[in-house]
Amino acid sequence: MNKMVIFDLDGTLLNTLEDLCDSVNYALKTNGLPERSIEEVRNFVGNGIRLLIERSVPANTTKDITDKTFECFKAYYGLHCNDKTKTYPGVINMLKKVKANGYKTAVLSNKAQYAVTKLCNIYFDSVIDIAIGAKENIPKKPAPDALFMCAKEQNIDLKNVIYVGDSDVDVATAKNAGVTGIAVTWGFRSRETLKKCGAEILVKNTKELSDVLQQCMTKKSC
């Protein structure tokens, strides 16, 4: 079957928020800056780790200090990206079901490639065909470029691609790529936020996601 389901990583397959928050606060504290709450970090994630740090440092922080904080974050998160991270309930079984039905699976994230590779190797080695993180010279989501690259690498026509994510960035990515998008409500953004940014298909758990994916992939719905 020449079809693919592409998943966002943070907030969709993995709950990475505590490790991201701990790493942000380690970098901030190390550079003499005030720490952030987990809810603040929740609202800062989604557009890559550089913007995460730029949003986390106080306004008017110098570029030099921002750069140092960013480098500190990268080094710390590389070592501690799996201290508290875990899969959301039912994710592994859902991915196994998608694979068992013969569909290609992928992860597409704005997260740094080193962390995407490490976490996907730990959790999804046998159920994900390709994992793409942030790459130089390729625009980050919500630009569709990386999604196009992902589909092309697996020789999948875009009409047979479904994209699943948890944020406004993911909703926009699916729309910009012209593919079916599904928004999950268990991640880093609320159902209300997702609806406001234009999400048309929303699911509240992995059982519901599995059912909707099956409907979409058999063209009964979507």
Side-chain angles (χ1 to χ4, degrees):
M1 246 175 241
N2 198 27
K3 297 185 180 181
M4 170 180 272
V5 185
I6 303 175
F7 298 89
D8 173 54
L9 187 60
D10 296 42
T12 301
L13 299 180
L14 292 179
N15 187 347
T16 58
L17 188 58
E18 287 188 80
D19 284 331
L20 286 168
C21 186
D22 288 350
S23 299
V24 165
N25 283 332
Y26 176 85
L28 292 171
K29 185 176 179 180
T30 299
N31 287 277
L33 302 173
E35 297 181 27
R36 293 289 191 169
S37 71
I38 196 164
E39 286 308 310
E40 286 177 312
V41 173
R42 179 193 298 274
N43 289 318
F44 293 160
V45 298
N47 296 95
I49 58 174
R50 177 69 193 194
L51 274 177
L52 169 60
I53 295 303
E54 290 180 1
R55 291 165 176 167
S56 297
V57 300
N60 302 317
T61 299
T62 65
K63 183 179 184 302
D64 180 57
I65 294 298
T66 301
D67 290 345
K68 289 179 180 179
T69 305
F70 178 54
E71 292 303 320
C72 184
F73 170 87
K74 286 195 296 182
Y76 187 88
Y77 189 63
L79 296 173
H80 298 278
C81 66
N82 193 42
D83 289 357
K84 299 175 182 176
T85 287
K86 55 186 177 293
T87 59
Y88 286 102
V91 158
I92 298 297
N93 286 338
M94 179 272 298
L95 289 172
K96 287 180 177 178
K97 184 176 180 180
V98 172
K99 287 292 291 180
N101 286 332
Y103 301 103
K104 295 289 187 180
T105 55
V107 161
L108 179 59
S109 175
N110 279 342
K111 197 182 197 75
Q113 185 68 57
Y114 72 87
V116 170
T117 299
K118 180 175 180 178
L119 291 172
C120 285
N121 284 343
I122 291 170
Y123 291 100
F124 309 122
D125 187 48
S126 63
V127 288
I128 292 292
D129 296 304
I130 180 173
I132 295 178
K135 294 179 179 290
E136 287 188 18
N137 302 319
I138 298 177
K140 294 181 178 65
K141 300 181 298 182
D145 305 56
L147 188 151
F148 294 157
M149 182 177 70
C150 187
K152 183 177 180 180
E153 185 165 326
Q154 295 293 310
N155 196 30
I156 307 294
D157 192 298
L158 287 175
K159 69 182 180 182
N160 294 322
V161 171
I162 299 169
Y163 182 70
V164 182
D166 74 300
S167 75
D168 48 330
V169 173
D170 297 312
V171 173
T173 300
K175 290 183 181 298
N176 291 340
V179 302
T180 297
I182 300 174
V184 305
T185 61
W186 59 72
F188 297 168
R189 300 290 187 269
S190 68
R191 184 181 187 90
E192 291 71 27
T193 296
L194 293 168
K195 289 180 73 174
K196 284 180 181 178
C197 69
E200 297 177 0
I201 305 172
L202 297 99
V203 296
K204 63 181 181 293
N205 55 49
T206 51
K207 169 63 167 62
E208 192 171 315
L209 176 58
S210 291
D211 292 343
V212 172
L213 285 173
Q214 189 62 31
Q215 292 171 0
C216 289
M217 291 185 289
T218 55
K219 301 300 183 182
K220 292 179 182 178
S221 185
C222 301

